[in-house]
Amino acid sequence: MAQIPEKPSLDGLEQRWSEIWEEQGTYRFDRTRTRAEIFSIDTPPPTVSGSLHMGSAFGYVQTDAIARYQRMRGRHVFYPMGWDDNGLPTERRVQNFYGVRCEPHLPYDPGFVAPDKPGKDVVSISRPNFLELCDRLVAEDEAAFEELWRRLGLSVDWSLTYTTIGPGARRTSQRAFLRNLARGEAYQADAPTLWDVDYRTAVAQAELEDREMPGAYHALHFHRADGSGDVIIDTTRPELLAACVAVVAHPDDDRFRPLFGTDVVTPLYGVRVPVVSHHLADPEKGTGIAMICTFGDTTDVVWWRELQLPTRAVLGIDGRFKAEPPDVIAGTGAIAYADIAGRTAKQAQKIIVEQLRSSGELDGDPRPITHPVKFYEKGERPLEIVTSRQWYLRNGGRDLELRAELLGLGKELEWHPENMRVRYESWLDGLNSDWLVSRQRYFGVPFPIWYRLDGEGNARYGELLLAADESLPVDPSTDCPPGFVEAQRDMPGGFTADPDVMDTWATSSLTPQIVTGWVDDPDLFERTFPMDLRPQGPEIIRTWLFDTVVRARLEHGALPWTDTTINGWVLDPDRKKMSKSKGNVVTPMPLVEEYGADALRYWACNGRPGVDTAVDFGIMKVGRKLAIKILNASKFVLGVAGDAADEIAAVSTPLDRSMLLALASLVDDATTAFEGFDYARCLEHTERFFWSFCDDYVELVKSRAYGDADDAVVKSAAVTLRVALATLLRLFAPVLPYVSEEVWSWWRDGSIHRSDWPSGRELRIGGADPLVYEVAADVLGQVRKVKSTMQVSLAAPVQNVCVIDTPARLDALAAARADVCDAGKIAELDTEPGSVASVRVELAAPSGDS
RNA sequence: GGGCGUUUAGCUCAGUCGGUAGAGCACCUGCCUUACAAGCAGGGGGUCGGCGGUUCGAGCCCGCCAGCGCCCACCA
């Protein structure tokens, strides 16, 4: 047994216990266990290139409390930690941190030294050099995250870390992709895709967000081909006029019905385009007739596809107008187009408006409006739609049968809180395309694919050259396809690498397979998959959660886990959403320094499951006070209760038994709460009980406990105090791992975090009466109230107390009579049966001297 | 436009069978009491967002409305 400190303190606990936990492998996973004995958690790999913020601490602490509970319940917790370093956020961070840009055509420079800080000019570097910088920076970021996680006491097995760009993740991603391809679940298509003109990459539906943007309706004069007049068409994007391939109205719209099947002529360019009908055309919008461009928005794509219209693309992948207009534009039209060639959409719009004004084909002035515009969630300019060759993965976006199955899996999954399921369902409901998984970026998992080149050096996209399974992971830009040699790269008759990398979610959606060893550890896989729990944030249900279900359905035909907990969002102290641009981001480490890890955890676990929670220093302060109280109360209990053995049979007095009965109810309630992943309820109820335990029970038995240890009633108090302390500490342990471990170490061997979760049954002793503790505490409270009102010390003696109450309560009081009198310094205690409960307190006369 | 959630004390929030409104913080008044003054005891403070309904009885169940937050959506 360790020494109980004279003056217990929280200082240094975190340092000391993290080291001991690490040394002793307290949270080490035992992989010899069977699936039924294991609780496996698919922890979110945090985006390491982002800053550490309170959100990074909030959800992870809640999950850790659940992990700790499961561990104490006897489950062998499989709790790995990953780092999401793959993808655009890292690329951006590297670009900004070093002031570099990746230029894939440049050769590798082995002597390249990265600048310490960005120079005046952006330095262009090769893809391999760029990737080296990515690797270097994420290593630093990962170290910072690990430090915070360890400090916060996350009970992960640090020997089981992974990164989403690491070899295991690359191998898993590539293998899964090749298997998707073999089963026809992955395919490539040359089709219009949403495109970010700054990052020059395709983006998926899941990465879109609408932003309310100013715009304007421009009323354009289209001319009837038969010369019978003009048709006015409203558009917010007049600059795309050159890409117009038709105009469209609703089939039932009588205003335009006569025009269907005829042609109109576009302003400025004089191009004849047909008037077509489609049910998506909204008679209420604009003038009721719209121009269809390839492509102004996603509705254009639908019209283009369903009405089989020609393609007249005008925007390049850089978001600028192409040098040459579509073929149908010639003569004066081509001259007009020359003014916008090479311009951005914004610049071109101004020019077009001037041109339309001069030609008299603009009806009135543009009318400003605000309207939702699609953006890449990390992007700065509106998305354009560009036709390009991309890889897709089937996700139910265009396959009703698969969609129904995914819906079924969503219903099968246990959601906590339950109502989060609707987000999954409404996302699935709104899916309108398969998952675009290729990105024209660099720091990601490459597709393990090459293409045959024909005699003229053109890629034959139908002739895929696939990497062999055992060769994974491969980088097709440096590795050769089976049967080829490097000299044949990009040579006629040879091969060329697929240049793209996978969407970061294409890797993240495989975290269950990555951590459980699907590719190269079948033994581990069998013991841990399907997993038990996916904890995550609400904002990535449509990406991470949904995609993971899709991949598991495609690969295993089953859910990847049985349960998911969706944590709430962290708001800043003023209850605003935290964001870097608002400058209101709070970082956790200084708060850990100030209040302690347990206090920060207390704050996080005070937030109800799934409920948005504001950063609240007051709550952290309360958590710190609680931790200190636990130290002090434990010091007292262990000091006064000596070395009493924990024989519950020695608990003999009615008050002790009554308190243990109440404690048993608490344990049952806490257990039920945790079984439902409700750490907050367990904490709240345990905390409430603990304070009353300190204020009432401890005060009631204090003087008895100081007595002769051989006396049966003294021993009863000692044993009860110890049993209750041991129970309460274990209920606190999932939330307050440091202080509970510290106190545990004063009198117990082994880690509290490896001890058994308490059971209510053991605390129920036959014949215990719940009223005894209740009435004793009530009477003591009444006595205190009088002393407080009279402004005398609580130590002041009381001459007489008369309690009037029901016979049952008076009986209960009688059973605790001695303790109540001792605690209240009461000389005489009288009782009187009565229907109206009251307590009369008569203080002893002052002794005269002070 | 559709949906989910939320609204309870000055603040942050509990309130799980429908049965006399709770906690912490803050504020006020006391108290050095042999674990803890980083403590303890006590006190004031609420038309439970609004309206209507069901019920002997509604913070809780039902309907409508409003504010706030979020999710989804093919708005030229």
Side-chain angles (χ1 to χ4, degrees), chain A residues 530-585:
Chain A
M531 303 181 81
D532 292 279
L533 180 64
R534 156 60 71 84
Q536 65 160 70
E539 76 284 8
I540 49 176
I541 290 174
R542 68 175 180 174
T543 48
W544 194 35
L545 192 145
F546 175 70
D547 292 340
T548 310
V549 173
V550 168
R551 301 307 288 279
R553 158 62 189 80
L554 296 179
E555 189 57 50
H556 313 288
L559 277 175
W561 355 258
T562 57
D563 292 80
T564 183
T565 50
I566 308 295
N567 60 253
W569 198 257
V570 175
L571 308 171
D572 81 354
D574 299 324
R575 300 202 61 72
K576 296 272 172 8
K577 197 167 162 178
M578 283 206 267
S579 67
K580 262 186 266 183
S581 58
K582 291 202 192 93
N584 59 355
V585 172

Side-chain angles (χ1 to χ4, degrees), chain A residues 665-813:
Chain A
S665 301
L666 170 71
V667 170
D668 291 347
D669 182 76
T671 306
T672 305
F674 254 126
E675 285 298 311
F677 301 94
D678 193 348
Y679 49 84
R681 186 182 167 90
C682 172
L683 172 61
E684 183 198 348
H685 289 206
T686 302
E687 186 187 9
R688 190 189 305 154
F689 190 98
F690 173 71
W691 284 103
S692 104
F693 169 79
C694 291
D695 297 343
D696 298 332
Y697 180 77
V698 168
E699 293 304 324
L700 281 165
V701 301
K702 194 182 258 179
S703 64
R704 169 153 57 101
Y706 277 124
D708 179 355
D710 291 334
D711 191 335
V713 295
V714 175
K715 188 172 180 191
S716 177
V719 171
T720 305
L721 284 168
R722 289 168 58 106
V723 166
L725 180 65
T727 302
L728 290 167
L729 282 177
R730 283 176 292 163
L731 297 182
F732 278 129
V735 175
L736 309 174
Y738 287 108
V739 73
S740 57
E741 182 76 312
E742 169 69 11
V743 171
W744 196 256
S745 75
W746 292 346
W747 59 319
R748 300 284 190 125
D749 294 326
S751 171
I752 191 172
H753 303 299
R754 285 286 191 179
S755 68
D756 290 336
W757 185 254
S759 140
R761 197 155 37 89
E762 294 163 5
L763 301 171
R764 290 177 210 275
I765 301 166
D769 177 1
L771 273 183
V772 178
Y773 182 32
E774 189 183 312
V775 175
D778 280 354
V779 171
L780 181 59
Q782 291 298 320
V783 173
R784 283 176 184 149
K785 183 169 179 169
V786 170
K787 290 181 179 176
S788 188
T789 309
M790 302 301 288
Q791 305 199 345
V792 301
S793 161
L794 291 179
V798 175
Q799 180 57 45
N800 179 274
V801 170
C802 180
V803 179
I804 301 170
D805 214 324
T806 63
R809 285 174 60 91
L810 293 181
D811 286 350
L813 177 59

Side-chain angles (χ1 to χ4, degrees), chain A residues 49 87 92 103 109 125 158 174 222 338 352 410 518 575 596 795 850:
Chain A
S49 52
R92 281 207 298 191
E103 292 289 350
D109 174 3
I125 61 174
W158 290 105
Q174 292 186 338
F222 280 61
I352 289 275
W518 171 59
R575 300 202 61 72
S850 61

Side-chain angles (χ1 to χ4, degrees), chain A residues 121 124 160 200 205 240 252 295 332 363 401 443 453 496 517 598 600 606 612 617 622 631 659 721 774 780 790 829:
Chain A
D121 299 313
S124 291
L160 299 174
R200 298 190 193 181
Q205 189 184 348
L240 292 180
D252 299 335
F295 298 93
T332 55
D363 197 65
E401 200 174 318
F443 194 58
L453 293 178
T496 190
D598 280 343
L600 206 73
N606 227 328
D612 294 350
F617 308 119
V622 172
L631 287 177
M659 191 278 293
L721 284 168
E774 189 183 312
L780 181 59
M790 302 301 288
L829 177 62

Side-chain angles (χ1 to χ4, degrees), chain A residues 58-116:
Chain A
F58 185 66
Y60 287 89
V61 165
Q62 295 171 347
T63 303
D64 183 63
I66 290 164
R68 288 177 178 278
Y69 164 75
Q70 291 291 344
R71 190 178 293 112
M72 292 174 76
R73 286 286 281 181
R75 303 288 287 277
H76 291 266
V77 176
F78 180 64
Y79 190 16
M81 178 60 69
W83 310 117
D84 188 16
D85 40 17
N86 168 343
L88 198 50
T90 296
E91 288 191 20
R92 281 207 298 191
R93 182 154 147 72
V94 166
Q95 286 171 5
N96 297 335
F97 193 86
Y98 296 108
V100 296
R101 178 172 52 212
C102 178
E103 292 289 350
H105 63 271
L106 290 175
Y108 179 59
D109 174 3
F112 173 73
V113 178
D116 287 340

Side-chain angles (χ1 to χ4, degrees), chain A residues 47-49 83-86 90 93-94 97-98 131-147 162-163 165 443:
Chain A
T47 305
V48 293
S49 52
W83 310 117
D84 188 16
D85 40 17
N86 168 343
T90 296
R93 182 154 147 72
V94 166
F97 193 86
Y98 296 108
L131 297 186
E132 281 178 5
L133 292 183
C134 290
D135 284 332
R136 189 204 297 180
L137 200 55
V138 297
E140 289 176 20
D141 291 338
E142 285 158 16
F145 263 88
E146 181 169 335
E147 192 196 348
Y162 67 96
T163 68
I165 198 66
F443 194 58

